[in-house]
Amino acid sequence: MENVVSIILTAGASKRIKSNQSKVFHEAAEKSLIEYVYSTAKKISPKNIIFVCNKANINQITKNFTQAKTILQKKTKGTADAVLCTKNLLPKNKDVIILFGDVPLIKSGSINRLIKTHKSSNGIGCLLAFKAKNPQGYGRVEIIGNKVKKVTEEVQANKKIKQINLCNSGIMICKQDFLFSNLISINDKNIKKEKFITDIFEIAYKSKKPFLFTMCNEKELQGVNTREDLIKMDITIQNEIKKKLIQNGVTILQPETVRVSYDTKIAKDCTIEPFVVIKKGVIIKKNVTIKSHSVIESSIIGEGSIIGPSARIRPYSVIGKKVKIGNFVEIKNSKIKDSTSINHLSYIGDSTIGKNVNIGAGTITCNYDGKKKNKTIIKDNVFVGSNTSIVAPLTIGSNSTIGAGSVITKNVPSNSLAIERTEQKNIKKK
Amino acid sequence: MENVVSIILTAGASKRIKSNQSKVFHEAAEKSLIEYVYSTAKKISPKNIIFVCNKANINQITKNFTQAKTILQKKTKGTADAVLCTKNLLPKNKDVIILFGDVPLIKSGSINRLIKTHKSSNGIGCLLAFKAKNPQGYGRVEIIGNKVKKVTEEVQANKKIKQINLCNSGIMICKQDFLFSNLISINDKNIKKEKFITDIFEIAYKSKKPFLFTMCNEKELQGVNTREDLIKMDITIQNEIKKKLIQNGVTILQPETVRVSYDTKIAKDCTIEPFVVIKKGVIIKKNVTIKSHSVIESSIIGEGSIIGPSARIRPYSVIGKKVKIGNFVEIKNSKIKDSTSINHLSYIGDSTIGKNVNIGAGTITCNYDGKKKNKTIIKDNVFVGSNTSIVAPLTIGSNSTIGAGSVITKNVPSNSLAIERTEQKNIKKK
Amino acid sequence: MENVVSIILTAGASKRIKSNQSKVFHEAAEKSLIEYVYSTAKKISPKNIIFVCNKANINQITKNFTQAKTILQKKTKGTADAVLCTKNLLPKNKDVIILFGDVPLIKSGSINRLIKTHKSSNGIGCLLAFKAKNPQGYGRVEIIGNKVKKVTEEVQANKKIKQINLCNSGIMICKQDFLFSNLISINDKNIKKEKFITDIFEIAYKSKKPFLFTMCNEKELQGVNTREDLIKMDITIQNEIKKKLIQNGVTILQPETVRVSYDTKIAKDCTIEPFVVIKKGVIIKKNVTIKSHSVIESSIIGEGSIIGPSARIRPYSVIGKKVKIGNFVEIKNSKIKDSTSINHLSYIGDSTIGKNVNIGAGTITCNYDGKKKNKTIIKDNVFVGSNTSIVAPLTIGSNSTIGAGSVITKNVPSNSLAIERTEQKNIKKK
């Protein structure tokens, strides 16, 4: 589909989100709004994506999307002006698709339908329209047959126009030459004193080259203006993911009290208990139970393992099969092999733990010396007694035992007992 | 009521639940579907319960319900065939009640009403029918007066029949002789190529021995086909329990964010904070507060105690009166007597802790030596300093004190100070 | 507004709440019902507030509201009798406002409107009325123009009266002399055998001195009779607070799974993750993230700090800027200065921790010696190794390091390494 170029508009002022951070970098289900749109644009025109930015976000966008181009719209003079800014960046002869950084749920399928309708007609352009349950606030689309006659913004609509429930998504495709030779004639003589790209439809109609339109589900066109919109979208995206997981054989108990992410993968016959938080990058294999109040991020949980309650698996951890990670246990950047148990009140960081290891309650890997993070290696079949401190870097050989309450600072050979402890004294009270 | 026999059908293929586990063993509010039905059947015919099983579940059912009989239906040839399988197991002259392993909410009261209607009429049988809000998918019941004329499955229903909203629950009582002499004549000439027991009603009507029917609330007849059904039923059952608890004087805050079980007992003037999980077998006495993020299972919490936040009480624990169990504390299989405090970051397992004991932060009972679990006994009025490891088995006598950070491996007499510690060194950095 | 006196009725029997505690002391969003009403009354007549109490609550009310007067209604003889009890406590010539201890959401603005309507008319009194969505259960208000003709209780209402949806809130203002000279004539000849103050309206109308009425939103007049009412009100109050926070630029994820309090303050660009509990007295500054399962009470969280998941900040803690408090960490009555990290499994109580300090996993301040709480002071740039016990009172000087697993019992000078540890032994197993 490389005969199109995607322009993503992100230069809006977005005051209603009430944030010092650019609106398009706010996240829903652990992914920023702009990344959703970018992922979709990548499927449409991977090598031809241009962001129109404002002063507040151009640096962050340029840094985050190195394969796309960015251009600054110096002042918020409207969408027509924003698109015009891209003029010198555009590859010749490619049709232009307009997308919005704050309309993240649009699917590539809908855009492909838009392109197809456009290409098959050999017309000037095509608009993605939708029937709104409640059209208030949206531009209304007047049509004649399959052609767009005019789009009128809510503020300028009379009673009759307001009764139309066919609405403008803003998303469109248009021949580049036509678009750019007409955008310059759009003026800002309206209440908002902005140059609206929506004026293009009447211009096209009047010059006998009307836009077509194709329909899209309203759900995909949900935009984010306020924090409330953001919070609702976060829930909407999650609900769709949870629904699919459940249909594929995952038991998510009291699903409204569970948090999942845009990319959460959970296999059949897993149980996710209430109040579990699954952040991005998580893959959970078959027959796993994640108990309440656990938090998992960017990790893999192996088949048949039981995690929690109140366990935290931090990024870059790989948990093997039939592993038990119990309450108040934190695992960070560690590999835990099959059939190992870490059941209570422990911190395992930057470690590799072998198979069939038992880590006693209150065990701490002292991985940080104030300067750098050090690695702990515990081999198969080790028994670590409770309340032990393991001062990394070190290795504990297979089949060894560590006495409870020890501070282990040196390597332990295999088949050994390591202990650091002095004599207990019982002194009669007077 | 021992003149009836209950047949529980559990041999369905149940592919829609998408599980390697038999559908009837999935749980709602911490109890399996089949156990709900079995509990109800026990009230009706405690000594005469027969499960019709499939290959996948017969072993587990036989093992779990030793007081019932089980029979294998070799192929899924329909409900008529399933009932026929029980022929050789049936006690003579007893009327037969048909129940379903995936319809767990049916109350014994409704079945008793069914039996009563049947017995008082001296008829052939009686069907439990219900008025469906949305009858789609259910078999429709045609009646004449108080008699059943015919039951037609949705797939075979014409427009007129589809308008009927009186539906077939499948649950019925029937004279054994009539049932078994007519079941054999039911054929599988239908779309699903299964022998449906529902054909019995028209057979009875045509032989001038029509079934009666009695009504039941649709709620009791909710069936479980998919994971979504299971998850909804889990919530439905919990909501009913929470409602009763609240009406009896329990404050459950933000009740949709609390988890309770089918058998949860909580006395008056308790407060259950949000995000609490109460698993099965829990009894909570008067004036207890369970703070957020706590998980309790198979334990008793004594009057006036405060648990949590983020405490976990594991099975077989008995918590006394006015006990405080604080954050990130795990109690397992232990008895904690009155007025004792375990407020922070501790693990107490396989222990008996006396009255008025103070367990310092970070205390660990080292109950597992890699082979077996050992007991810790701490007598009344003991003060255990923080970060202490108690290597079981051992006993700490009353009124004793344990120095912070000690590893205690030997018994401590009463009225003693026990300490295991070496000298602190302060070394000037260069 | 000191020409009025507020009478707050709290003497009702309140059996439906099913509690040994007086209904008005039950809390919604962490504040008792009676405190809500008292706070409002304080804005109206700060020096003239009288509670009418019953035997069960008079001591607690007298103790908690020392600036108000209390009077005992010996028997529950109705609202007219309750108001009459205050006779000897009333300052002369002040108009009387009637409020209810179980109607907590009434806003001072509505009462001021009531007063204004009353004062500007120079009439006898004024009633706060409301249009009920479902008027069932409420007294119905018959009016003529802007005057009240009669208020009829539901139980005494005929069909015609029941169709009225203008309802009696009970809240009113009245000239003192008129009120008290007529209250005595109200009898208890009704089904409930109580003297209802609502009879005053017909008395006034018949004596040609009718009450006026002014309207109020039904939401403010929600009363609490049952635990269910209490639980709903708790959610209602929270929802309003959450909505405002979100509108002001706070991201509260899955807001129904977050708990806030009546006085929660959160600045712009904070993120509150699901399953967070914010108890009373919490102030959260800009750009803070509170991660899931954290509980915060009566504390201040400084700008840019990250708390949780599963952290607990207990009362009287002050957390500086860019501080990290991680999982399974409890902070109590402590000051944590800027850029300090306490990331894992620690208990810090009664402490002052300097800037840029790193507290290792499993660190415990042993602040309690069984008799009193002792203070720990850790100065700037200290590195505390993991699993360390700090036996207070003591001070650790700036730039010092504590070896992992040490029990520190003596002060540590600045720029020192402190360690308490014996030799590790590795013993070959036989």
Side-chain angles (χ1 to χ4, degrees):
Chain A
M1 283 279 193
E2 279 300 302
N3 48 1
V4 297
V5 53
S6 300
I7 299 176
I8 303 174
L9 305 187
T10 70
S14 64
K15 284 178 188 162
R16 291 168 64 199
I17 197 93
K18 296 212 176 150
S19 178
N20 289 337
Q21 190 187 34
S22 172
K23 179 171 74 178
V24 293
F25 281 100
H26 281 264
E27 295 186 349
E30 311 293 317
K31 182 166 162 175
S32 68
L33 303 180
I34 194 172
E35 276 183 82
Y36 281 102
V37 184
Y38 181 71
S39 305
T40 304
K42 286 269 281 185
K43 292 180 190 159
I44 302 300
S45 59
K47 294 178 185 169
N48 287 290
I49 300 173
I50 303 170
F51 287 103
V52 182
C53 311
N54 58 33
K55 284 173 194 164
N57 63 27
I58 189 162
N59 287 341
Q60 198 176 356
I61 292 175
T62 305
K63 194 181 144 197
N64 282 22
F65 303 99
T66 51
Q67 293 174 50
K69 289 173 186 159
T70 51
I71 185 77
L72 178 68
Q73 185 187 22
K74 285 173 193 164
K75 289 187 183 171
T76 29
K77 289 192 255 173
T79 45
D81 179 73
V83 173
L84 267 175
C85 292
T86 66
K87 196 170 181 184
N88 296 327
L89 295 177
L90 287 173
K92 279 194 180 167
N93 298 322
K94 289 192 189 292
D95 293 347
V96 169
I97 292 169
I98 312 289
L99 298 170
F100 296 85
D102 57 2
V103 181
L105 302 186
I106 183 72
K107 290 181 181 163
S108 59
S110 300
I111 299 174
N112 281 328
R113 212 167 56 242
L114 180 78
I115 297 171
K116 206 174 157 189
T117 307
H118 170 60
K119 297 283 186 192
S120 64
S121 78
N122 202 21
I124 271 302
C126 188
L127 169 66
L128 205 60
F130 66 103
K131 286 210 170 133
K133 267 192 189 170
N134 173 13
Q136 212 186 327
Y138 291 111
R140 306 305 203 286
V141 182
E142 286 176 83
I143 55 172
I144 291 177
N146 62 345
K147 311 281 194 301
V148 177
K149 189 183 164 196
K150 189 181 177 182
V151 173
T152 310
E153 295 298 335
E154 170 92 6
V155 284
Q156 296 173 305
N158 60 28
K159 249 190 175 175
K160 203 181 145 192
I161 297 290
K162 279 185 179 167
Q163 281 169 355
I164 297 170
N165 76 339
L166 186 67
C167 293
N168 172 30
S169 74
I171 295 170
M172 68 177 82
I173 185 167
C174 189
K175 288 202 185 259
Q176 189 181 141
D177 290 348
F178 179 85
L179 185 64
F180 281 81
S181 55
N182 285 287
L183 278 179
I184 46 170
S185 68
I186 291 174
N187 66 46
D188 63 357
K189 288 174 185 164
N190 55 53
I191 293 175
K192 293 205 170 177
K193 299 202 172 162
E194 290 189 5
K195 296 177 184 179
F196 292 122
I197 197 172
T198 40
D199 288 2
I200 198 75
F201 302 109
E202 196 180 15
I203 293 169
Y205 184 76
K206 284 186 174 166
S207 57
K208 312 278 188 205
K209 292 169 179 170
F211 272 65
L212 298 177
F213 70 95
T214 185
M215 298 300 295
C216 183
N217 192 320
E218 187 177 2
K219 270 163 108 179
E220 293 182 32
L221 300 169
Q222 218 176 304
V224 172
N225 289 308
T226 64
R227 292 260 177 181
E228 263 176 313
D229 294 343
L230 185 77
I231 289 164
K232 273 183 200 160
M233 183 165 286
D234 173 78
I235 293 173
T236 300
I237 295 170
Q238 284 190 69
N239 283 349
E240 202 167 307
I241 294 161
K242 289 176 195 170
K243 198 176 168 184
K244 275 185 198 160
L245 290 169
I246 290 168
Q247 284 171 348
N248 289 334
V250 177
T251 297
I252 301 181
L253 292 169
Q254 294 170 255
E256 291 188 10
T257 68
V258 167
R259 185 160 182 81
V260 296
S261 294
Y262 73 97
D263 64 350
T264 298
K265 286 180 184 45
I266 308 179
K268 212 175 79 165
D269 275 335
C270 287
T271 297
I272 311 298
E273 292 191 352
F275 325 125
V276 163
V277 174
I278 299 174
K279 301 225 165 194
K280 67 182 167 189
V282 171
I283 297 171
I284 298 174
K285 304 285 180 73
K286 275 195 300 182
N287 289 311
V288 165
T289 298
I290 310 289
K291 297 193 176 183
S292 294
H293 314 121
S294 296
V295 179
I296 305 177
E297 184 173 356
S298 296
S299 292
I300 299 171
I301 312 295
E303 199 179 321
S305 288
I306 300 173
I307 308 297
S310 294
R312 184 179 183 202
I313 312 294
R314 290 174 58 194
Y316 317 123
S317 296
V318 179
I319 310 296
K321 295 180 188 176
K322 299 195 177 181
V323 169
K324 286 189 196 171
I325 307 289
N327 40 211
F328 323 125
V329 173
E330 173 188 357
I331 307 290
K332 191 212 97 181
N333 184 31
S334 293
K335 181 165 189 172
I336 314 294
K337 295 188 184 164
D338 299 354
S339 304
T340 280
S341 292
I342 309 172
N343 276 331
H344 340 251
L345 291 144
S346 293
Y347 168 56
I348 303 297
D350 304 315
S351 302
T352 299
I353 313 282
K355 291 183 188 181
N356 199 29
V357 170
N358 190 295
I359 301 281
T363 297
I364 306 284
T365 55
C366 313
N367 60 323
Y368 182 55
D369 57 15
K371 286 165 194 161
K372 65 179 192 302
K373 303 290 169 86
N374 300 298
K375 267 194 83 61
T376 298
I377 298 167
I378 298 178
K379 304 268 181 155
D380 296 351
N381 308 312
V382 166
F383 181 89
V384 177
S386 298
N387 240 346
T388 295
S389 309
I390 298 169
V391 184
L394 61 68
T395 297
I396 299 176
S398 58
N399 304 307
S400 285
T401 299
I402 310 297
S406 300
V407 179
I408 300 301
T409 51
K410 297 180 293 191
N411 288 340
V412 178
S414 59
N415 296 302
S416 301
L417 166 67
I419 192 160
E420 178 273 333
R421 195 186 291 165
T422 183
E423 202 64 26
Q424 174 183 338
K425 291 178 207 153
N426 292 341
I427 304 153
K428 201 77 186 170
K429 287 185 186 175
K430 289 156 197 171
Chain B
M1 281 282 195
E2 279 298 304
N3 47 3
V4 297
V5 53
S6 299
I7 298 176
I8 302 175
L9 305 186
T10 70
S14 64
K15 284 177 188 163
R16 290 168 64 200
I17 198 93
K18 297 215 174 147
S19 179
N20 288 337
Q21 190 188 33
S22 172
K23 180 172 73 178
V24 294
F25 281 100
H26 280 264
E27 294 186 348
E30 309 295 317
K31 182 166 162 174
S32 68
L33 303 179
I34 194 172
E35 276 183 82
Y36 282 101
V37 184
Y38 181 71
S39 304
T40 304
K42 287 269 281 186
K43 292 180 190 160
I44 302 301
S45 60
K47 293 178 184 167
N48 287 290
I49 300 173
I50 304 171
F51 287 102
V52 182
C53 310
N54 58 33
K55 285 173 194 164
N57 63 26
I58 189 162
N59 287 340
Q60 198 177 355
I61 292 175
T62 305
K63 194 181 142 197
N64 282 22
F65 303 99
T66 51
Q67 292 175 52
K69 290 173 185 159
T70 50
I71 185 76
L72 177 68
Q73 183 186 23
K74 286 173 193 161
K75 288 187 184 170
T76 28
K77 289 192 255 174
T79 46
D81 179 72
V83 173
L84 267 175
C85 293
T86 65
K87 197 169 182 181
N88 297 327
L89 296 177
L90 286 173
K92 279 192 180 168
N93 298 321
K94 289 192 189 295
D95 293 347
V96 169
I97 291 169
I98 312 288
L99 298 170
F100 296 84
D102 57 2
V103 182
L105 301 187
I106 182 73
K107 291 182 181 164
S108 58
S110 300
I111 299 173
N112 282 328
R113 213 167 54 242
L114 180 77
I115 296 170
K116 206 173 156 190
T117 307
H118 170 61
K119 297 282 185 193
S120 63
S121 77
N122 201 22
I124 271 303
C126 187
L127 170 66
L128 204 61
F130 66 102
K131 286 211 168 131
K133 265 192 191 172
N134 173 13
Q136 211 187 328
Y138 291 111
R140 307 302 205 286
V141 182
E142 285 177 84
I143 54 172
I144 291 178
N146 62 346
K147 313 278 194 304
V148 177
K149 189 182 164 194
K150 189 180 176 182
V151 174
T152 309
E153 295 298 335
E154 170 91 6
V155 284
Q156 295 173 306
N158 60 29
K159 250 191 177 176
K160 203 181 146 192
I161 298 290
K162 279 184 180 168
Q163 280 167 357
I164 297 170
N165 77 339
L166 186 68
C167 294
N168 171 31
S169 74
I171 295 170
M172 68 177 81
I173 185 167
C174 189
K175 288 201 183 258
Q176 190 181 142
D177 290 349
F178 178 85
L179 186 64
F180 281 82
S181 55
N182 285 287
L183 278 180
I184 47 169
S185 69
I186 290 174
N187 65 47
D188 63 357
K189 287 172 185 164
N190 55 53
I191 292 174
K192 293 206 169 175
K193 299 201 171 164
E194 290 190 4
K195 296 176 184 178
F196 292 122
I197 197 172
T198 40
D199 289 2
I200 197 73
F201 302 109
E202 195 180 16
I203 292 169
Y205 184 76
K206 284 186 174 168
S207 56
K208 312 279 187 206
K209 292 170 178 167
F211 272 63
L212 299 177
F213 70 96
T214 185
M215 298 300 295
C216 183
N217 192 319
E218 187 176 3
K219 271 162 107 181
E220 292 182 33
L221 300 168
Q222 217 177 305
V224 172
N225 289 308
T226 63
R227 293 261 176 180
E228 262 177 312
D229 293 343
L230 185 77
I231 288 164
K232 272 182 201 162
M233 184 165 285
D234 174 78
I235 292 173
T236 301
I237 295 170
Q238 284 190 69
N239 283 349
E240 204 167 306
I241 294 162
K242 288 176 196 170
K243 198 177 167 183
K244 276 185 197 159
L245 290 169
I246 290 168
Q247 284 170 348
N248 290 333
V250 178
T251 297
I252 301 181
L253 292 169
Q254 294 168 256
E256 292 188 8
T257 68
V258 167
R259 186 161 181 81
V260 296
S261 294
Y262 73 97
D263 63 350
T264 299
K265 285 179 186 46
I266 308 179
K268 211 174 80 165
D269 275 335
C270 287
T271 297
I272 311 298
E273 291 191 351
F275 325 125
V276 163
V277 174
I278 299 174
K279 300 225 166 195
K280 67 181 167 190
V282 171
I283 297 171
I284 298 175
K285 305 284 179 73
K286 274 194 301 182
N287 289 310
V288 165
T289 298
I290 310 290
K291 296 193 176 184
S292 293
H293 314 120
S294 296
V295 178
I296 305 178
E297 184 173 356
S298 297
S299 291
I300 299 171
I301 312 295
E303 198 179 321
S305 288
I306 299 173
I307 308 297
S310 293
R312 184 180 183 202
I313 313 293
R314 289 174 57 194
Y316 317 123
S317 296
V318 179
I319 310 296
K321 294 179 189 176
K322 298 195 179 180
V323 169
K324 286 190 196 171
I325 308 288
N327 42 211
F328 321 126
V329 173
E330 173 188 358
I331 307 290
K332 190 212 98 180
N333 184 33
S334 293
K335 182 166 188 171
I336 315 293
K337 295 187 185 166
D338 299 354
S339 304
T340 279
S341 292
I342 310 171
N343 276 330
H344 339 252
L345 292 145
S346 293
Y347 168 56
I348 303 297
D350 305 315
S351 302
T352 299
I353 313 282
K355 291 183 189 181
N356 200 28
V357 170
N358 190 295
I359 302 282
T363 298
I364 307 284
T365 55
C366 312
N367 60 323
Y368 182 55
D369 57 15
K371 287 167 193 160
K372 65 179 193 303
K373 303 289 169 88
N374 301 298
K375 267 194 83 61
T376 298
I377 297 167
I378 298 178
K379 305 268 180 153
D380 295 352
N381 308 313
V382 166
F383 181 88
V384 177
S386 297
N387 240 346
T388 295
S389 308
I390 298 169
V391 184
L394 63 69
T395 297
I396 299 176
S398 58
N399 305 306
S400 284
T401 298
I402 310 297
S406 299
V407 179
I408 299 300
T409 51
K410 298 180 292 190
N411 289 339
V412 177
S414 59
N415 296 301
S416 301
L417 166 68
I419 193 161
E420 178 272 334
R421 195 187 289 166
T422 182
E423 201 64 25
Q424 175 184 337
K425 289 177 208 154
N426 292 340
I427 304 152
K428 201 76 188 170
K429 286 185 186 176
K430 289 155 197 171
Chain C
M1 282 279 195
E2 278 299 302
N3 47 2
V4 297
V5 53
S6 300
I7 298 176
I8 303 175
L9 305 186
T10 71
S14 64
K15 285 179 188 161
R16 291 169 64 199
I17 197 94
K18 297 215 174 148
S19 178
N20 289 336
Q21 190 187 32
S22 172
K23 180 172 75 178
V24 293
F25 280 100
H26 281 265
E27 294 186 349
E30 311 294 317
K31 182 167 164 174
S32 68
L33 303 179
I34 194 171
E35 275 183 83
Y36 282 102
V37 184
Y38 181 71
S39 306
T40 304
K42 286 268 282 185
K43 292 181 189 159
I44 302 300
S45 61
K47 294 177 184 168
N48 288 289
I49 300 173
I50 304 171
F51 288 102
V52 182
C53 310
N54 59 33
K55 285 173 195 166
N57 63 27
I58 189 162
N59 287 341
Q60 198 176 355
I61 292 174
T62 305
K63 195 181 142 197
N64 282 22
F65 302 100
T66 51
Q67 293 174 51
K69 290 174 185 158
T70 51
I71 184 78
L72 177 68
Q73 184 187 22
K74 286 173 191 161
K75 288 187 184 171
T76 28
K77 289 191 256 174
T79 45
D81 179 72
V83 173
L84 268 175
C85 292
T86 65
K87 197 170 180 181
N88 297 327
L89 296 177
L90 286 172
K92 281 192 180 165
N93 299 321
K94 289 191 191 295
D95 293 347
V96 169
I97 291 169
I98 312 289
L99 298 169
F100 297 84
D102 57 2
V103 182
L105 302 186
I106 182 72
K107 290 181 181 165
S108 59
S110 299
I111 299 174
N112 281 329
R113 212 167 54 244
L114 180 78
I115 297 171
K116 205 174 156 188
T117 307
H118 170 60
K119 297 282 186 192
S120 63
S121 77
N122 201 21
I124 272 302
C126 187
L127 170 66
L128 205 60
F130 66 102
K131 286 210 169 132
K133 267 192 190 171
N134 173 13
Q136 213 188 325
Y138 290 111
R140 305 304 203 287
V141 182
E142 285 176 85
I143 54 172
I144 291 178
N146 63 344
K147 312 278 196 303
V148 177
K149 188 182 165 195
K150 189 180 176 182
V151 172
T152 310
E153 296 297 335
E154 170 92 5
V155 285
Q156 296 173 306
N158 59 29
K159 250 190 174 174
K160 201 182 147 193
I161 297 290
K162 278 185 181 168
Q163 280 167 356
I164 298 170
N165 76 340
L166 185 67
C167 294
N168 172 30
S169 74
I171 294 170
M172 68 177 81
I173 185 167
C174 189
K175 288 201 185 259
Q176 191 182 140
D177 290 348
F178 179 86
L179 186 64
F180 281 82
S181 54
N182 286 285
L183 278 179
I184 47 170
S185 69
I186 291 174
N187 65 47
D188 63 358
K189 287 172 186 165
N190 55 51
I191 293 175
K192 293 205 168 176
K193 300 203 171 162
E194 289 189 5
K195 296 177 184 177
F196 292 122
I197 197 172
T198 40
D199 289 1
I200 198 74
F201 302 109
E202 197 180 14
I203 293 169
Y205 184 75
K206 284 186 175 167
S207 57
K208 313 278 187 204
K209 293 171 179 168
F211 272 64
L212 299 176
F213 71 95
T214 185
M215 298 300 296
C216 183
N217 191 320
E218 187 176 4
K219 272 163 106 180
E220 293 182 32
L221 300 168
Q222 218 177 304
V224 172
N225 289 308
T226 64
R227 292 261 177 182
E228 262 176 313
D229 293 342
L230 185 76
I231 289 164
K232 271 182 202 162
M233 184 165 286
D234 174 77
I235 292 173
T236 301
I237 295 170
Q238 284 190 69
N239 283 349
E240 204 167 306
I241 294 162
K242 289 176 195 169
K243 198 177 166 183
K244 274 184 199 160
L245 290 169
I246 290 167
Q247 284 170 347
N248 289 333
V250 178
T251 297
I252 302 181
L253 292 169
Q254 294 169 255
E256 292 189 8
T257 68
V258 166
R259 185 160 181 81
V260 296
S261 294
Y262 73 97
D263 63 350
T264 299
K265 285 180 186 44
I266 308 178
K268 212 174 80 165
D269 275 335
C270 287
T271 297
I272 311 297
E273 292 191 351
F275 324 126
V276 163
V277 174
I278 299 175
K279 301 225 166 195
K280 67 182 166 190
V282 171
I283 297 171
I284 298 174
K285 304 286 180 74
K286 274 195 301 181
N287 289 310
V288 165
T289 298
I290 310 290
K291 296 193 176 183
S292 294
H293 313 119
S294 296
V295 178
I296 305 177
E297 184 173 355
S298 297
S299 292
I300 299 171
I301 312 296
E303 199 180 321
S305 288
I306 300 173
I307 308 296
S310 294
R312 185 181 183 202
I313 313 294
R314 290 173 58 194
Y316 317 122
S317 296
V318 179
I319 310 297
K321 295 181 189 175
K322 299 195 177 180
V323 169
K324 286 189 195 171
I325 307 289
N327 41 211
F328 321 127
V329 173
E330 173 188 358
I331 307 290
K332 189 212 97 180
N333 185 31
S334 293
K335 181 164 188 173
I336 315 294
K337 294 188 186 166
D338 299 354
S339 303
T340 281
S341 292
I342 310 172
N343 276 331
H344 340 252
L345 291 145
S346 293
Y347 168 55
I348 303 297
D350 305 315
S351 302
T352 299
I353 313 282
K355 291 184 188 181
N356 199 28
V357 170
N358 190 296
I359 301 282
T363 298
I364 307 283
T365 55
C366 312
N367 59 323
Y368 182 53
D369 57 15
K371 285 167 195 161
K372 65 180 194 302
K373 304 289 170 85
N374 300 298
K375 267 195 83 62
T376 298
I377 297 167
I378 298 178
K379 304 268 179 152
D380 295 353
N381 308 312
V382 167
F383 181 90
V384 176
S386 298
N387 241 345
T388 294
S389 309
I390 298 169
V391 184
L394 62 67
T395 298
I396 299 176
S398 59
N399 305 307
S400 284
T401 299
I402 309 297
S406 300
V407 180
I408 299 301
T409 52
K410 297 180 291 191
N411 289 340
V412 177
S414 59
N415 295 301
S416 300
L417 166 68
I419 192 161
E420 178 272 334
R421 194 188 291 165
T422 182
E423 201 64 24
Q424 174 184 336
K425 290 178 208 155
N426 293 340
I427 305 153
K428 201 78 187 169
K429 286 184 187 175
K430 288 156 197 171

